[in-house]
């Protein structure tokens, strides 16, 4: 597929041209879960995140408008716009139901000043037609983004009835490969739990794979070790949310992940320093 210069320029704002890696902080949880702990005030939280100088921030176009002052400064992080939503994270009482819908257009993302868009690809619905519809919408977004020179981050997630199937070593490589063959530029995927199985996902695609944070881990060491192991298995960085803004030192956590991903600082050292 032909890529316009604008596509490469935008992608380089997210994935560093120097080392091919990225640290993205996600604050798009509100459209999925409401005002969760740590994200009650998205403007205040975004301000603290940006003090840590991440490579990019992920949010909806509406939140991008609210935090625009933080995004128009020199050296500001890139913007990844979330343009869809789902309620599969809420433990839906009717397992065969739930939704995943497009809420914004690629043009909306362009108006918001986005450097990329992000969409879900959910696999594992009991109704195959729902999965097929999701895949077709992802393909449509990718096609439309090519017209705008806009990179697409696809979030391939395996789900089970009524809940999210996190770190499923069977579904993650399958969903990642489908998203890759649909034309994704970057994948935001779950870490499978160990380097051996995750490397299967990385080998199955030839685009950057950033790992999702998922629920907040029990300890700092757990969070950092997950990233360290994933990077050794071929991950190119992270897209984290709760493991950053549900901490008592948001900007410090961002800086720690930047050191871990871009500088190779050890998980044990970072956990020790932040625990003091």
């Amino acid at each position: 597929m032909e890529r316009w210069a604008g596509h490469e320029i935008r992608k380089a704002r997210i994935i560093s041209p120097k080392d091919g890696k990225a640290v993205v902080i996600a604050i798009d949880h509100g459209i999925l879960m409401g005002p969760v702990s740590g994200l009650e005030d998205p403007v205040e939280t975004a301000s603290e995140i940006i003090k840590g100088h991440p490579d990019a921030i992920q949010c909806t176009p509406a939140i991008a408008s609210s935090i625009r002052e933080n995004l128009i400064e020199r050296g500001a992080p890139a913007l990844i716009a979330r343009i869809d939503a789902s309620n599969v994270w809420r433990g839906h009482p009717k397992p065969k139901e739930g939704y995943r819908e497009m809420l914004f257009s690629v043009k909306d993302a362009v108006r918001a000043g986005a450097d990329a868009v992000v969409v879900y690809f959910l696999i594992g619905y009991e109704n195959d037609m729902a999965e097929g519809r999701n895949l077709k919408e992802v393909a449509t977004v990718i096609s439309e983004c090519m017209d705008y020179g806009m990179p697409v981050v696809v979030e391939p997630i395996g789900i089970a009835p009524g809940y999210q199937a996190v770190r499923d070593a069977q579904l993650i490589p399958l969903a990642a490969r489908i998203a890759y063959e649909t034309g994704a530029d970057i994948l935001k995927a779950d870490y499978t739990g160990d380097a051996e199985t995750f490397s299967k996902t990385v080998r199955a695609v030839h685009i950057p794979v950033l790992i999702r944070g998922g629920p907040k881990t029990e300890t700092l060491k757990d969070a950092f070790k997950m990233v360290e192991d994933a990077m050794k298995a071929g991950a190119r960085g992270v897209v984290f949310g709760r493991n950053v803004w549900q901490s008592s030192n948001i900007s410090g956590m961002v800086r720690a992940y930047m050191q871990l991903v871009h500088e190779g600082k050890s998980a044990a050292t970072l956990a020790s320093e932040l625990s003091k």
Side-chain angles (χ1 to χ4, degrees):
M1 298 183 191
E2 182 184 357
R3 295 290 193 256
W4 292 95
H7 175 277
E8 299 305 316
I9 291 168
R10 292 183 179 95
K11 184 179 175 183
R13 291 175 184 155
I14 300 166
I15 305 291
S16 171
K18 293 181 179 179
D19 60 12
K21 300 173 183 177
V23 172
V24 181
I25 309 301
I27 59 168
D28 55 348
H29 299 62
I31 201 163
L32 312 173
M33 306 173 184
V36 294
S37 175
L39 203 55
E40 296 93 341
D41 184 337
V43 176
E44 181 179 319
T45 300
S47 180
E48 288 301 309
I49 288 168
I50 289 169
K51 288 177 184 177
H53 302 289
D55 294 303
I57 193 164
Q58 176 180 300
C59 63
T60 62
I63 293 298
S65 180
S66 295
I67 66 171
R68 69 181 72 184
E69 289 78 9
N70 294 293
L71 299 174
I72 59 178
E73 298 176 356
R74 293 279 186 179
L79 171 64
I80 301 175
R82 161 72 63 192
I83 60 173
D84 64 350
S86 174
N87 67 345
V88 299
W89 285 263
R90 296 188 214 152
H92 202 281
K94 298 179 180 179
K96 294 183 180 180
E97 298 183 17
Y99 69 82
R100 179 268 172 196
E101 296 289 344
M102 298 299 302
L103 301 181
F104 303 96
S105 67
V106 176
K107 186 179 287 187
D108 291 329
V110 172
R111 291 184 181 123
D115 296 292
V117 301
V118 58
V119 292
Y120 294 114
F121 171 51
L122 305 179
I123 187 169
Y125 283 106
E126 289 191 14
N127 181 347
D128 286 342
M129 294 303 294
E131 183 177 307
R133 175 171 171 261
N134 187 175
L135 182 59
K136 183 176 181 180
E137 287 177 341
V138 169
T140 299
V141 166
I142 290 171
S143 178
E144 186 177 353
C145 279
M146 290 185 69
D147 292 336
Y148 288 94
M150 180 75 75
V152 183
V153 182
V154 176
E155 194 166 349
I157 302 175
I159 59 171
Y163 63 91
Q164 177 185 358
V166 179
R167 298 170 188 30
D168 186 306
Q170 299 300 315
L171 285 177
I172 292 170
L174 171 62
R177 180 57 176 261
I178 293 171
Y180 165 58
E181 297 217 17
T182 307
D185 297 293
I186 300 168
L187 296 183
K188 174 188 172 185
D190 280 311
Y191 181 56
T192 56
D194 66 84
E196 183 178 353
T197 58
F198 186 71
S199 65
K200 182 179 179 181
T201 301
V202 175
R203 291 196 306 270
V205 303
H206 287 271
I207 55 177
V209 179
L210 309 179
I211 65 166
R212 300 174 66 247
K216 189 175 186 298
T217 55
E218 291 186 10
T219 68
L220 278 176
K221 186 176 180 180
D222 290 340
F224 292 145
K225 186 66 167 58
M226 177 173 68
V227 177
E228 187 174 64
D229 290 346
M231 297 292 290
K232 289 178 181 177
R236 306 293 286 275
V238 302
V239 183
F240 275 13
R242 282 165 283 186
N243 280 303
V244 171
W245 40 257
Q246 285 186 340
S247 73
S248 59
N249 183 0
I250 295 174
S251 59
M253 286 293 288
V254 176
R255 286 190 289 269
Y257 283 117
M258 291 291 286
Q259 291 176 313
L260 182 57
V261 169
H262 290 294
E263 300 173 22
K265 199 165 185 177
S266 76
T269 299
L270 287 168
S272 176
E273 290 177 355
L274 279 176
S275 296
K276 292 178 181 178

